[in-house]
Amino acid sequence: MKTRKSTTLKYHSSPSSPSVSDIATTQQQNLASFSNMARKSSLFKQTLIATAFFILAIYALFTTFFHTPLPVSDTVSPSDDAADVSSVEFPERRADGSGSVGKVKVFMYDLPHKFTYGLIQQHGLARGGSPVDDVTTLKYPGHQHMHEWFLFADLAPPESDRLGSPIVKVADPEEADLFYVPVFSSLSLIVNAGRPPGTGSGYSDEQMQEELVEWLNGQEYWKRNNGWDHVIIAGDPNALYRVVDRVKNAVLLVADFGRLRPDQGSLVKDVIIPYSHRISAYTGDFGVEERKTLLFFMGNRYRKEGGKIRDLLFQILESEEDVIIKHGTQSRENRRAASHGMHTSKFCLNPAGDTPSACRLFDAIVSLCVPVIVSDNIELPFEDIIDYKKFSVFVETTAALKPGYLVSLLRQVPAEKIIEYQKAMKEVKQYYDYTVPNGTVNEIWRQVAQKLPLIKLMINRDKRLVKMELNEPNCSCLCSNQTGIISSL
């Protein structure tokens, strides 16, 4: 905006004083400037207010159409303070992975005595003993499959006495997640084998198996879910062999899968359990000075199936000067000799028996004698928490049968490495001891508890499946080892 020049007369004044026209011109410019600023400020305020209204409109639209309100039971009333909000509880998850709160609940069947204590009496009768009035007073006989006794004895006391267990024993089957069937299936085999020829003792393991299945089929909770939520122990590889097809839905507690087909047993469904070690544990210090023997083995030389490797290893190793390899069967005297041999040897040989596993592996671990495992299809207990490569030497069967290979391999192991193996064995030794409070029994129950989510899946899946007859076993799970092993230190 241009200002016109003033035509008024000029008064004489000093050079430093502004003229009247200059003052007028300056005032007009200031008024114009203030007018422009006022208009700009008004426009900015209008824009700001419009933007605020727009944001509020968008928020209201989102809240109305997209926000889902909490259920009434989950909301906090306006009167509640901040402390109340922090106390809201959310569902916990079990260690087994299920969504329920608390430990897995297990109900143990009160089986007829002919499946439990009655078998202890039968064991005594087969060896010349006399009947007793109260079979519950009998002591379970010692053998390598005593796990069935230790699990039974763990669940027998009241729950208040079972401190530190990963599961809860319940007296009401309606509360149970799982059902334990405490049959002494391995002891039954020993009784059967101990019958003197022609004595007519009247005991039959096969008959016991049939009667067990008949009893189970009469139980409401077995029929309810086709046995999926039941746990049955069959530690001896031959235990329940006659009826395993009729109880295979259950979680089977087994030493290995040597006598089971892929559709009968698997690592996903079942639990591998340790043998009960039969020799005394080593209590000395770490070291190799007192262990003069390089490699030790004492056991039955002649076995069937995969155990035939034993005789071949005898032929290769029995002439080695720093190797002790002896034929021996189960007896008190032989156990003492085996205990001394393992405690004074650096390495203990663990070849396959009639099935891939054998009790001397666990004897070796508690003796701090480094296991040398020659069993390509072996499965081992508790491998989710135990790395056997930290304290064992695995040798493929074909390599072990090469003359000189095995002893040459072991002689290369330095003393420091052997001591490292010994320390690793001591760290895990409790997992192979059924008698200590937080030992094998608790670990077996922990493994069983982890199966619960899969069991629930199978129960629900079984309800909708159409039964089909398959020409081949269908194993939709991780089964036993069929791929061999890595032979290395």
Side-chain angles (χ1 to χ4, degrees), residues 385-399:
I385 59 170
I386 297 176
D387 181 1
Y388 284 82
K389 291 286 287 184
K390 289 184 176 180
F391 57 83
S392 305
V393 177
F394 292 86
V395 182
E396 194 175 7
T397 299
T398 54

Side-chain angles (χ1 to χ4, degrees), residues 414-478:
E416 295 77 12
K417 184 66 174 178
I418 295 174
I419 294 173
E420 183 182 320
Y421 283 143
Q422 292 173 349
K423 291 179 178 179
M425 281 186 280
K426 190 164 186 178
E427 288 181 2
V428 300
K429 192 166 65 169
Q430 73 186 68
Y431 294 109
Y432 310 104
D433 192 338
Y434 282 88
T435 64
V436 299
N438 193 29
T440 314
V441 171
N442 274 4
E443 186 54 32
I444 289 174
W445 289 136
R446 188 186 71 83
Q447 298 278 336
V448 169
Q450 290 182 147
K451 305 294 182 182
L452 186 57
L454 175 68
I455 291 168
K456 291 182 175 180
L457 182 152
M458 297 307 295
I459 289 172
N460 292 333
R461 182 173 179 267
D462 207 34
K463 293 175 182 177
R464 65 166 177 84
L465 288 181
V466 176
K467 304 299 181 184
M468 295 183 295
E469 294 295 331
L470 300 177
N471 295 325
E472 299 179 354
N474 178 26
C475 180
S476 56
C477 55
L478 180 64

